[in-house]
Every structure is written in structure tokens, then in C-alpha cells.
Amino acid sequence: MNKLQKVRHYLFHNLRIILMDRILPLLPDKSCLSIMYRLYFGRKLDWEHPVTFNEKLQWLKLYDRRPEYTVMVDKVKAKNYVAEKLGGEYIIPTLGVWDDPDDIDFDALPNQFVLKCNHNSGLGMCICKDKSELDIPKVKAELRKGLKQNYFLHGREWPYKDVPRKILAEKFMEDKSGDGDLKDYKFMCFNGKVKCSFVCSGRNKEGGLKVTFFDRDWKQLPFTRHYPASEKKIAMPEKYREMISMSEKLSQNIPFVRSDFYEINGRIYFGELTFYPGSGIEEFCPEEWDERLGKLIVLPPKP
């Protein structure tokens, strides 16, 4: 990210906070997305002839609205959706689902577990590695914040709008064969075909999140998107080809979707499905890759 992008990014996030509270909720989706895109990238969004990856994600938010997308982004319902297509053995075990934090029986949960909301990304999440050290009132307070969040308003990612808000508890997953850093493998599926992938690593380590892109043959690609690439060499996961095949099964007849998997102790586990990575407002460096990936998305006819 160059200096101009850093300044624009800073201004975008600060202005968006103000606009989100006062103005953006009042605007129709197209106007809201146009303003957000202009604030971040410093240029007008071309709705009639979108070219770049980020432009096309905005177009898809507005015009590609299939009811099943709401099921696919719901962290509770997506488990059954994926299990039907791939098999239940790829699903991280569910420990419980609740409507309210006060309904959670923490005594019945194991010593290690993960709590999260099913309709958003991050807010309210609790990764518990030792229940004896858990501040339960604080966890409940964070979950309430998560349940109240209207995630749809943050980027007008419409599939989240009608997700029934729940709290989900999952088994804590740990890769005992690795270095303690549970890597997230994310496959970019363009019209049913994986063209590239990226790995999220170091999320909870010093230096922060690293995002490293690879082509289909696991050759590192020469660009970044918002986050720096890992300085360490990342080995191709053992079941990489299997994950590609599974991603393509989940992405048939969809213009673009990202499917996430983990490889844990030699087994594949499904993570989530995402239609608009970074909400379509994350910069590429070099910038030319925004257009190069954009060309891979074949948009459906405008409704």
C-alpha cells in the first residue's frame, strides 16, 4: 500500500463511520455502494461497464441476488448445505446454537471451543482455549454486540440481510502437526473454476495477518491485496487438489464465490463461503491485478 492509498484508506474508514451512522442507512443500495467505492478508490464506479475485480463485486451485490446465497453465508445453515454437497465429514462439529447469550450453558461446553455469530464476521467471536480463564460476562456482552450488528449495512452485502441471527458454538480445532498457526486456505472460484487461492496466516501473531496469493499450481502470484504477503515460504497443503475439486463443486453456476477450507491433522474441514471478499473495497498492489482478476468474472445478464 503506497502513501496515497494509506491516506485514502484512513479517510475512508473515518468518513464511513460518520456516514454509516447518519447518512448511508438512508440511501438505496446503489447510491451507498457508489459513495463507498468513490471514497476508497478515489474514482467513480462504472456500473454500466465494470472492469475490475472490485467493481464487479459491487455489481454482483446489486444484480446477482439468488435466494440460496442467504443460506450459503449463514454459518449455521451453510453446514447442512455443504454437507449435502460434499459430505458431513468435512464439517466442523457444532456444539450448540442459541438465540441469546443467556441461553448458553457454559458448564456443558468442553474446556476448549469457539463461539461466534452466524451472520457477521468477527464481532462477538470468542476463541476459548481454557474455560477456567474465561470471563463469561464479558463474552456474553461481546456476543450481544455481535447479534445487534446489522452486517448488511457495512457493505450492502445483501445475502446477510435476512440471515436469522444466532450464536454458534463449534469444536476448537487445532493442527497438532503444524506450528500452531491454523492456516486458512481460500479458493477464488470464477464461474465454477478455481483460478487462484490465498492463504491467511499469522492472524494472531506478532506482525499481524499475512495474505499470500497462489495460482492454481501453487506458484506464488506477484501481487498483494490490502495485506502483505508472508515472508515465509508456505508449503502447498497435502490435500490441495482435493480442496480445489470441492471448491468447484460448491461454486457451480455462480459468477464468483470464495470457498474456505482448513487442513487439520491430515483432514479437510469446511470454513465458509464468501461472495464479496473485503466487500470489494480492498486495493491491489500492483493495481493492474484488480483488472486482471476482474476479467475472470463473467457477469450474468442484468435483471
Side-chain angles (χ1 to χ4, degrees):
M1 190 186 299
N2 60 39
K3 289 184 179 180
L4 178 60
Q5 287 173 327
K6 287 181 179 178
V7 171
R8 191 177 291 143
H9 179 255
Y10 174 81
L11 291 173
F12 168 79
H13 281 283
N14 283 277
L15 283 170
R16 189 169 76 158
I17 290 171
I18 297 171
L19 292 171
M20 190 71 71
D21 290 338
R22 302 177 185 177
I23 300 174
L24 293 186
L26 306 176
L27 297 178
D29 293 345
K30 187 173 183 179
S31 298
C32 175
L33 293 172
S34 295
I35 290 171
M36 289 173 61
Y37 187 90
R38 184 66 177 262
L39 283 173
Y40 195 88
F41 291 105
R43 60 177 180 266
K44 186 178 179 180
L45 198 165
D46 188 346
W47 287 105
E48 294 305 316
H49 305 286
V51 174
T52 68
F53 180 78
N54 285 304
E55 278 184 318
K56 287 187 176 181
L57 289 191
Q58 307 310 322
W59 191 98
L60 290 169
K61 288 179 188 179
L62 203 61
Y63 297 117
D64 183 37
R65 299 192 169 189
R66 290 159 53 179
E68 59 265 37
Y69 291 177
T70 295
V71 173
M72 293 167 74
V73 301
D74 183 332
K75 290 180 174 63
V76 172
K77 292 182 179 179
K79 288 174 178 280
N80 290 332
Y81 177 87
V82 173
E84 288 177 3
K85 289 185 176 291
L86 302 180
E89 66 270 26
Y90 301 109
I91 306 302
I92 295 174
T94 296
L95 303 176
V97 178
W98 305 273
D99 295 317
D100 189 286
D102 288 332
D103 295 335
I104 303 171
D105 183 356
F106 283 88
D107 290 335
L109 289 173
N111 187 51
Q112 297 182 320
F113 55 86
V114 175
L115 287 170
K116 54 185 162 184
C117 297
N118 68 321
H119 74 293
N120 66 3
S121 179
L123 186 61
M125 177 177 280
C126 168
I127 300 174
C128 177
K129 296 183 180 181
D130 184 350
K131 193 166 63 172
S132 67
E133 298 180 359
L134 194 65
D135 185 338
I136 293 177
K138 182 179 179 181
V139 170
K140 287 184 176 182
E142 291 301 310
L143 285 169
R144 289 191 184 95
K145 290 179 185 177
L147 287 173
K148 288 180 181 178
Q149 183 184 30
N150 188 336
Y151 192 69
F152 158 73
L153 286 180
H154 279 248
R156 296 301 169 99
E157 299 182 26
W158 73 270
Y160 295 96
K161 187 175 184 179
D162 295 322
V163 174
R165 300 180 192 182
K166 305 282 184 181
I167 299 165
L168 168 67
E170 291 182 331
K171 179 181 178 180
F172 176 79
M173 306 299 287
E174 184 177 13
D175 188 2
K176 296 179 180 179
S177 63
D179 58 2
D181 182 18
L182 192 62
K183 295 180 178 63
D184 202 354
Y185 301 101
K186 300 175 181 288
F187 296 83
M188 309 272 273
C189 304
F190 298 82
N191 302 94
K193 291 293 181 182
V194 172
K195 298 293 186 179
C196 62
S197 63
F198 62 93
V199 180
C200 290
S201 58
R203 194 185 299 272
N204 300 309
K205 293 192 173 184
E206 187 177 350
L209 177 63
K210 302 294 187 296
V211 175
T212 312
F213 284 84
F214 297 89
D215 69 9
R216 191 181 173 97
D217 295 318
W218 203 254
K219 179 182 178 182
Q220 186 171 339
L221 290 166
F223 70 87
T224 59
R225 187 172 188 242
H226 191 64
Y227 297 97
S230 175
E231 296 176 353
K232 298 179 181 178
K233 184 177 180 180
I234 300 176
M236 184 175 75
E238 181 181 338
K239 298 186 181 295
Y240 178 63
R241 299 295 173 189
E242 239 183 286
M243 287 190 272
I244 286 179
S245 177
M246 294 164 71
S247 296
E248 292 183 342
K249 284 183 182 178
L250 295 175
S251 63
Q252 289 303 302
N253 303 313
I254 299 174
F256 176 84
V257 66
R258 193 195 78 206
S259 57
D260 300 356
F261 292 93
Y262 300 97
E263 186 178 85
I264 304 173
N265 302 319
R267 292 184 57 185
I268 298 173
Y269 290 94
F270 167 72
E272 64 180 17
L273 293 165
T274 301
F275 290 94
Y276 323 103
S279 203
I281 44 175
E282 287 186 345
E283 74 290 346
F284 285 82
C285 184
E287 191 174 354
E288 67 185 76
W289 283 89
D290 198 356
E291 185 170 339
R292 291 180 68 166
L293 289 192
K295 288 179 179 178
L296 299 176
I297 301 177
V298 178
L299 296 176
K302 187 176 177 181

